[in-house]
Amino acid sequence: RLLDSYQQNRSFKPFFNELLGLWAFKQNERGSVRIVKKGDKMLHELRIYHCAPGKLPALNNRFETITLKLWESHGIRPIGFWTVAIGPDNNCLYYLLEWDNLAERDQKWNKFATDPEWIKAKASTEVDGVLAPRIENMILAPTAYSKIR
């Protein structure tokens, strides 16, 4: 409706153009769209899961079948996931999460980490041992020349 008003009412156009100039639309790989204020910098969290020997396939399966669905329900926004094709350690999972700020990160991550459904699912996938005995995480700051901000 707003777009129809924009197209039909010329006096509304300057206001609408100014409004659009302040906001940007971000779309993730699943097609979900968020509106963000232009110029706002996102925080990115790099997490590295160092898997127990032979456990990387089980960890990937848990992310694909359990974790991502729970994250979606908690509003956690993954950017991408990687494993090492060529390099020193091919038994790790690397991924990036996107956050508006640290408060959002703390609130959503803590809610996810204490979700009874997650606790039960995690335990059920680790009956034969912990999948990733060492997890690193870091909040990244973009450089001036980074395309991802």
Side-chain angles (χ1 to χ4, degrees):
R1 286 190 232 166
L2 190 58
L3 187 56
D4 291 339
S5 296
Y6 169 74
Q7 291 171 340
Q8 294 171 3
N9 186 346
R10 298 209 185 277
S11 64
F12 189 58
K13 282 187 178 184
F15 168 75
F16 195 74
N17 285 339
E18 184 177 335
L19 185 64
L20 281 180
L22 297 174
W23 301 93
F25 300 89
K26 292 190 96 175
Q27 184 172 10
N28 68 17
E29 68 280 351
R30 291 194 193 131
S32 299
V33 175
R34 292 185 321 116
I35 300 173
V36 296
K37 190 174 178 184
K38 282 188 178 175
D40 281 0
K41 293 180 182 174
M42 306 302 295
L43 293 179
H44 292 92
E45 180 177 5
L46 172 63
R47 297 183 63 88
I48 306 169
Y49 286 54
H50 299 270
C51 292
K55 299 288 187 178
L56 182 57
L59 181 66
N60 282 324
N61 184 61
R62 182 170 75 191
F63 268 93
E64 189 173 352
T65 61
I66 298 168
T67 309
L68 291 177
K69 291 173 188 164
L70 286 170
W71 280 1
E72 188 171 351
S73 72
H74 287 283
I76 295 173
R77 300 182 308 273
I79 299 299
F81 296 83
W82 298 267
T83 56
V84 175
I86 300 171
D89 191 350
N90 64 356
N91 203 35
C92 292
L93 175 67
Y94 296 76
Y95 66 89
L96 278 177
L97 299 174
E98 179 181 70
W99 305 104
D100 291 330
N101 52 55
L102 285 175
E104 179 200 29
R105 189 251 179 234
D106 290 345
Q107 185 264 332
K108 289 182 177 178
W109 191 262
N110 291 337
K111 209 168 189 181
F112 161 71
T114 58
D115 182 328
E117 188 177 349
W118 165 244
I119 293 168
K120 181 180 176 185
K122 183 176 187 260
S124 73
T125 62
E126 294 187 338
V127 292
D128 294 327
V130 175
L131 301 182
R134 187 166 72 103
I135 299 172
E136 295 179 77
N137 73 301
M138 52 208 85
I139 302 297
L140 305 175
T143 61
Y145 48 88
S146 177
K147 288 186 179 188
I148 298 177
R149 297 195 150 258

